Amino acid sequence: MMDKSVPTMSYQAWRRDLETGPPQYRNRTVFEDATPEMVRDFFWDDEFRSRAKWDDMLVRSSILEECHTTGTMVVQWIRKFPFFCSDREYIIGRRIWESGRSYYCVTKGVPCSSIPRRNKPRRVDLYYSSWCIRAVESGRGDGQLTACEVLLFHHEDMGIPWELTKLGVRQGMWGAVKKIELGLRAYQRERALGAPRSHCAFLAQINTKVSPDCLKSLESSGKEDPSETEARDEPRKLLVPKLLIVGGAIALACNLDWGLLTKAVIFGVARRFVSYPTTWMGKRPWSME
């Protein structure tokens, strides 16, 4: 879909269409002069997301459940959509796995019986946004691991026709990514000045450790390692299905929210509320348009 960069960030995005279900997106973003831990905290920090308004579609957020053993959270987001759509409600389960200084983050729509459904805002059930955050060499060519790579796999069904969704992403994604980068730099400055971590950022530090040997085993067998699954006595409603890790990167099925894809869709569609014919002709690899 795109391959763009600025001096402090590079970005690539791919889309894959399926025979059924919404389009899937895979993104690679590299932030210069950023640590994996800082980027991890930034994406988890709903308080800063609202206060700094780098994601200005987020109307409000709240923590519904949390586990101080695994760091698992269930959160509620209300997101503002344009005038031609009602606002959307997300009930998201999220959890982080750590292997060395690589962080595998899963955010996924989960059921929640304690909050009844309403006509407005409309609840989004199919939401899965998951990513891998790790240190990589700087694009400056000095061989130093001073940059941070984010590999994202995402899809969601917002109740908007998928062809409009694809158009919106193409129109609005790059602008949304640049706002994320501005938000990250503001977050870095605040933390450098000694600003305390929010409660969400505190929970982002509670990660499930996964050994490199376990990663290799998962890659070769495609099965879970029972020895890496802990807290069996935790209520099932607090647990997010274990991530599928392939080759030290990320292969997860279902949406991110950095607020990134959603924002790109909405503002892109708002600018060009039109449709175009699908080009899907059966299974195909990731494509760049």
Side-chain angles (χ1 to χ4, degrees):
M1 289 173 55
M2 63 184 65
D3 186 350
K4 293 181 179 289
S5 64
V6 294
T8 55
M9 176 188 66
S10 63
Y11 177 75
Q12 295 172 301
W14 295 261
R15 189 192 76 229
R16 179 171 64 185
D17 294 316
L18 304 179
E19 293 179 352
T20 60
Q24 298 177 346
Y25 293 91
R26 177 166 63 93
N27 301 338
R28 178 179 185 266
T29 310
V30 177
F31 299 103
E32 294 289 341
D33 302 314
T35 65
E37 292 76 18
M38 184 69 70
V39 174
R40 174 202 64 191
D41 291 357
F42 168 69
F43 284 133
W44 234 238
D45 197 331
D46 291 345
E47 181 183 312
F48 183 82
R49 183 189 289 259
S50 298
R51 177 165 48 84
K53 297 192 180 301
W54 64 266
D55 177 8
D56 51 17
M57 289 182 66
L58 184 63
V59 177
R60 66 178 183 272
S61 65
S62 59
I63 299 175
L64 304 179
E65 301 176 22
E66 60 185 75
C67 174
H68 287 260
T69 301
T70 65
T72 301
M73 305 168 63
V74 177
V75 300
Q76 180 193 40
W77 282 5
I78 306 297
R79 299 183 64 74
K80 185 175 181 59
F81 275 44
F83 67 91
F84 54 83
C85 297
S86 62
D87 292 349
R88 297 297 194 264
E89 175 190 49
Y90 295 77
I91 307 295
I92 300 170
R94 57 192 193 185
R95 182 173 172 181
I96 301 174
W97 285 259
E98 174 189 350
S99 181
R101 291 187 65 204
S102 294
Y103 299 94
Y104 298 87
C105 310
V106 175
T107 66
K108 183 180 186 299
V110 295
C112 183
S113 59
S114 63
I115 300 181
R117 290 177 178 273
R118 296 170 290 173
N119 291 331
K120 294 183 179 181
R122 176 177 173 177
R123 185 169 298 179
V124 174
D125 293 308
L126 179 54
Y127 173 91
Y128 201 111
S129 186
S130 305
W131 57 104
C132 173
I133 301 171
R134 60 187 179 184
V136 294
E137 287 189 15
S138 169
R140 303 186 184 98
D142 56 11
Q144 300 299 308
L145 296 176
T146 55
C148 179
E149 176 189 67
V150 180
L151 302 173
L152 164 72
F153 187 86
H154 171 101
H155 80 251
E156 66 178 291
D157 187 351
M158 296 176 287
I160 295 174
W162 296 331
E163 294 302 320
L164 286 179
T165 298
K166 291 190 288 187
L167 177 63
V169 169
R170 291 179 64 182
Q171 293 293 313
M173 179 63 76
W174 178 234
V177 172
K178 289 190 290 186
K179 284 192 174 183
I180 291 172
E181 205 255 348
L182 290 174
L184 173 62
R185 303 310 174 184
Y187 194 68
Q188 288 177 308
R189 290 192 295 270
E190 276 202 8
R191 292 280 290 271
L193 293 173
R197 287 183 174 88
S198 71
H199 187 60
C200 285
F202 169 76
L203 289 171
Q205 300 175 85
I206 306 174
N207 309 146
T208 302
K209 303 297 189 296
V210 181
S211 70
D213 289 341
C214 177
L215 289 181
K216 294 177 182 178
S217 174
L218 286 169
E219 180 183 1
S220 60
S221 68
K223 299 179 181 179
E224 293 184 3
D225 183 347
S227 67
E228 295 295 335
T229 305
E230 82 303 313
R232 290 295 190 186
D233 58 341
E234 289 291 326
R236 291 182 63 86
K237 63 182 179 180
L238 282 179
L239 299 180
V240 177
K242 190 170 183 179
L243 74 168
L244 201 54
I245 302 170
V246 178
I250 192 165
L252 302 163
C254 289
N255 158 19
L256 151 120
D257 207 307
W258 299 348
L260 182 150
L261 282 173
T262 302
K263 175 175 280 190
V265 168
I266 294 308
F267 288 109
V269 170
R271 284 197 298 267
R272 292 183 59 186
F273 194 63
V274 297
S275 185
Y276 63 92
T278 180
T279 58
W280 174 243
M281 298 179 64
K283 291 184 179 181
R284 68 179 182 185
W286 298 100
S287 62
M288 297 187 72
E289 296 185 346

